[in-house]
Amino acid sequence: VDDLEVAGRRVLVRSDLNVPLEDGRITDDGRIRASVPTIKSITDRGGRAVVLAHLGRPKGAPDPKYSLQPVADRLAELLGSPVRFASDVVGESAQQAVAALQDGEVALLENVRFEPGETKGDADLARRMAALGDVYVGDAFGAVHRAHSSVSGIPALLEHASGYLVVSELEVLQKLTMDPERPYVVVLGGSKVSDKLAVITSLLGLVDKLLIGGGMCFTFLKAQGHEVGDSLLEEDQLDAVRGMLATAAERGVELLLPTDVVVADDVSETASTQVVAADAIPAGWKGLDIGPESVRAFAAALADARTVFWNGPMGVFELAPFAQGTLGVAKAVASSGAFTVVGGGDSAAAVRQFGLDDEFSHISTGGGASLEYLEGRQLPGVTALQS
């Protein structure tokens, strides 16, 4: 973005403003904060910033609960200047908001996913959006793995550049894949093995230790022949997981699974809970967090790390009875003295919930995008910015 001539020009900025909302209130503004430096770089140099973004997954039509209006209000607070808000994406409101912009001002257009063509990568929609700007800046790292109109369509039509956020995210991910300082430890959690199959396969050729918690660990435990009660289980992934366990052993990768888990009879704050051995989960009980012994083992495995990548919580951290595993691992990663990267999504939310966000080297704004990068896949939004 520093290389673009922006003074007096309309600069379309695709930002990642996809924040969690509860009753119209933003519960974590991390992504909005991360978008501010690029927008300010444009307005400080006399550019007219026209911000495009999505929120949630509306069904290609306007839906009040996914409106970016609360985001516009918060963005204005963070910028310390007004933000014009358009109630549509390429319609009359958007055209008027952009036409009214003066040098150094900002407009935010309504949720791009209210347009049915956005997620289909519709070329006509890309042309209509491009008509609102003179140049384009791609800064939505959390969406660069999507071939959407506002992500990969517009840069094919306008002079373009990367925003600060995209540049910094890619620099960090290159550090994780090109020549990481060793020992390199990866901590993976979250609910499904199927979401992480490709990244685990890729990482087994790169890491020294792989620590697995969250709902996905039960498919690993089952693959080893253990009973997992009513815990989350992907039966159709058992063979794939057995293959991964064999590959880890062949390559000398230390693969750690929980040795104890917190089980409950229900997923609620008031559920009955107990800590049991991971190979002895009783029928009718669900594993919802890793146990204290597992936290200690994971912390010991992290103690000598020089590089750590963490993606996915260790349990249902949003509920107090099942938050200790994620908190314990977060503290262990933060205190390891390593180069530490949290891979977006729920892990980033957990780190902020625990007030530990300043303790990590980098908190990614894009969970899916960072995983796909680590899988070695082409990211359409990055490819478009590089061409």
Side-chain angles (χ1 to χ4, degrees):
V1 65
D2 288 344
D3 301 332
L4 274 185
E5 185 55 59
V6 297
R9 300 173 91 185
R10 301 169 303 163
V11 185
L12 291 178
V13 190
R14 178 55 163 98
S15 297
D16 180 5
L17 306 177
N18 186 25
V19 292
L21 288 175
E22 267 176 32
D23 304 322
R25 192 177 57 83
I26 297 164
T27 58
D28 178 359
D29 68 357
R31 283 177 165 159
I32 308 177
R33 288 177 179 279
S35 73
V36 165
T38 293
I39 296 169
K40 277 192 76 66
S41 149
I42 292 160
T43 56
D44 287 351
R45 291 183 288 139
R48 304 174 182 191
V50 180
V51 183
L52 299 163
H54 78 274
L55 179 70
R57 295 187 176 177
K59 304 278 191 281
D63 182 338
K65 83 171 178 208
Y66 294 117
S67 173
L68 283 169
Q69 178 69 67
V71 174
D73 298 340
R74 182 66 183 130
L75 182 60
E77 287 173 9
L78 291 167
L79 288 169
S81 57
V83 170
R84 293 176 191 274
F85 182 65
S87 59
D88 57 28
V89 183
V90 286
E92 197 175 321
S93 179
Q95 290 168 27
Q96 287 175 351
V98 173
L101 279 181
Q102 301 297 309
D103 294 355
E105 292 185 347
V106 180
L108 172 63
L109 309 187
E110 186 53 285
N111 192 335
V112 289
R113 290 190 184 171
F114 286 178
E115 290 290 333
E118 165 67 7
T119 57
K120 301 184 182 97
D122 181 74
D124 182 57
L125 176 61
R127 275 192 293 275
R128 293 171 71 199
M129 290 193 278
L132 296 170
D134 302 305
V135 291
Y136 173 88
V137 175
D139 203 36
F141 179 73
V144 290
H145 57 314
R146 309 284 188 205
H148 292 176
S149 299
S150 67
V151 177
S152 58
I154 305 174
L157 303 169
L158 294 178
E159 181 188 353
H160 54 265
S162 303
Y164 297 137
L165 180 63
V166 163
V167 170
S168 71
E169 292 273 13
L170 292 174
E171 281 173 354
V172 166
L173 289 169
Q174 281 168 358
K175 211 166 166 178
L176 293 180
T177 50
M178 297 301 196
D179 189 21
E181 252 197 277
R182 297 188 179 279
Y184 180 13
V185 183
V186 168
V187 186
L188 291 179
S191 53
K192 292 181 175 176
V193 176
S194 51
D195 292 344
K196 308 266 165 83
L197 272 180
V199 78
I200 294 171
T201 304
S202 175
L203 288 169
L204 284 173
L206 194 63
V207 305
D208 301 299
K209 299 176 192 176
L210 185 57
L211 283 44
I212 292 180
M216 62 190 280
C217 79
F218 300 107
T219 303
F220 278 83
L221 291 166
K222 182 74 172 178
Q224 291 182 327
H226 304 311
E227 287 307 315
V228 296
D230 283 1
S231 306
L232 192 65
L233 176 64
E234 289 181 281
E235 295 269 4
D236 59 339
Q237 302 297 337
L238 289 170
D239 285 343
V241 166
R242 289 185 191 106
M244 285 176 196
L245 291 166
T247 302
E250 272 166 36
R251 295 189 175 168
V253 174
E254 189 181 335
L255 194 151
L256 264 70
L257 291 168
T259 51
D260 64 340
V261 292
V262 179
V263 296
D265 55 359
D266 185 32
V267 187
S268 75
E269 290 270 6
T270 54
S272 298
T273 64
Q274 53 179 320
V275 177
V276 299
D279 59 1
I281 298 170
W285 291 72
K286 302 175 177 68
L288 295 176
D289 195 13
I290 64 172
E293 184 183 277
S294 303
V295 172
R296 286 192 291 273
F298 282 17
L302 286 158
D304 66 343
R306 301 306 308 141
T307 305
V308 180
F309 174 72
W310 173 30
N311 179 281
M314 298 293 101
V316 186
F317 74 95
E318 299 90 344
L319 302 178
F322 317 112
Q324 289 305 306
T326 303
L327 174 60
V329 168
K331 285 180 171 174
V333 173
S335 63
S336 64
F339 175 68
T340 52
V341 179
V342 180
D346 288 339
S347 330
V351 163
R352 290 197 188 97
Q353 179 180 307
F354 301 141
L356 294 170
D357 30 336
D358 291 337
E359 311 287 317
F360 291 83
S361 310
H362 181 78
I363 298 177
S364 179
T365 55
S370 56
L371 287 179
E372 288 198 17
Y373 184 96
L374 293 177
E375 287 166 24
R377 284 161 70 170
Q378 289 284 313
L379 306 178
V382 174
T383 305
L385 291 170
Q386 290 170 341
S387 59

